[in-house]
Amino acid sequence: MENLYKRDLSKQWFVIYTRTRWEKKVDTLLKQKGIDSYCPLKKVRSKWADRIKTVELPLFTSYVFVNINYKEELKVRQTHGVINFIYYMGKPAVVRNQEIEEIQDILVKNREIEVSSIRDLNIGDRVLIKNGALFNQEGNIVQVAGKTVLMLLNNLDCAIYTRVPVEDLVKK
């Protein structure tokens, strides 16, 4: 297996892929091993039947950043919950220090930030709207455009087309 880094002790930021919903746990485990890791968190208000609570959730699903040198690679790989490094063009994806600082700065200035993945949404998918004026309405995706989708809602014997942010949808 090819080493991720030059054979010196300089550190670089890499992205690791974790088990689903293990981002915070992996971040804690890495820090316990002395690894410099960063799991960006956003504050989200979650609604339960009896209360509303603010919780911290990972900004990037299944991703944690690590700032390591080649000697620490094995420690990271052997951490429970770590699946692998993220690769780009056949090599582990390196993240510049400036990009990590920008993420930290954005989170300090704007706690309401949201990252949405459109990978799992396709034309024709049936989805449920979880926020906004059309809360709890179901429809089919007609078009995916950036971070919004054009949906067809078949309610009341008429067709309603609406644009909905991806983060407000739940796939059925």
Side-chain angles (χ1 to χ4, degrees), residues 14 39 113 130 135:
F14 294 93
C39 178
I113 193 168
K130 63 180 185 176
F135 173 74

Side-chain angles (χ1 to χ4, degrees), residues 67-117:
N67 189 22
I68 58 173
N69 60 39
Y70 79 94
K71 287 186 175 185
E72 297 169 306
E73 174 189 351
L74 190 57
K75 275 188 188 178
V76 171
R77 289 187 184 278
Q78 291 177 337
T79 302
H80 194 58
V82 171
I83 295 175
N84 202 355
F85 285 82
I86 298 296
Y87 285 78
Y88 176 72
M89 295 183 72
K91 296 182 179 179
V94 176
V95 181
R96 295 187 328 251
N97 287 338
Q98 179 184 353
E99 292 171 308
I100 297 294
E101 291 167 4
E102 287 173 1
I103 293 168
Q104 292 168 334
D105 190 46
I106 288 169
L107 286 172
V108 167
K109 291 178 181 172
N110 183 1
R111 296 304 290 175
E112 304 280 326
I113 193 168
E114 186 73 36
V115 174
S116 300
S117 173

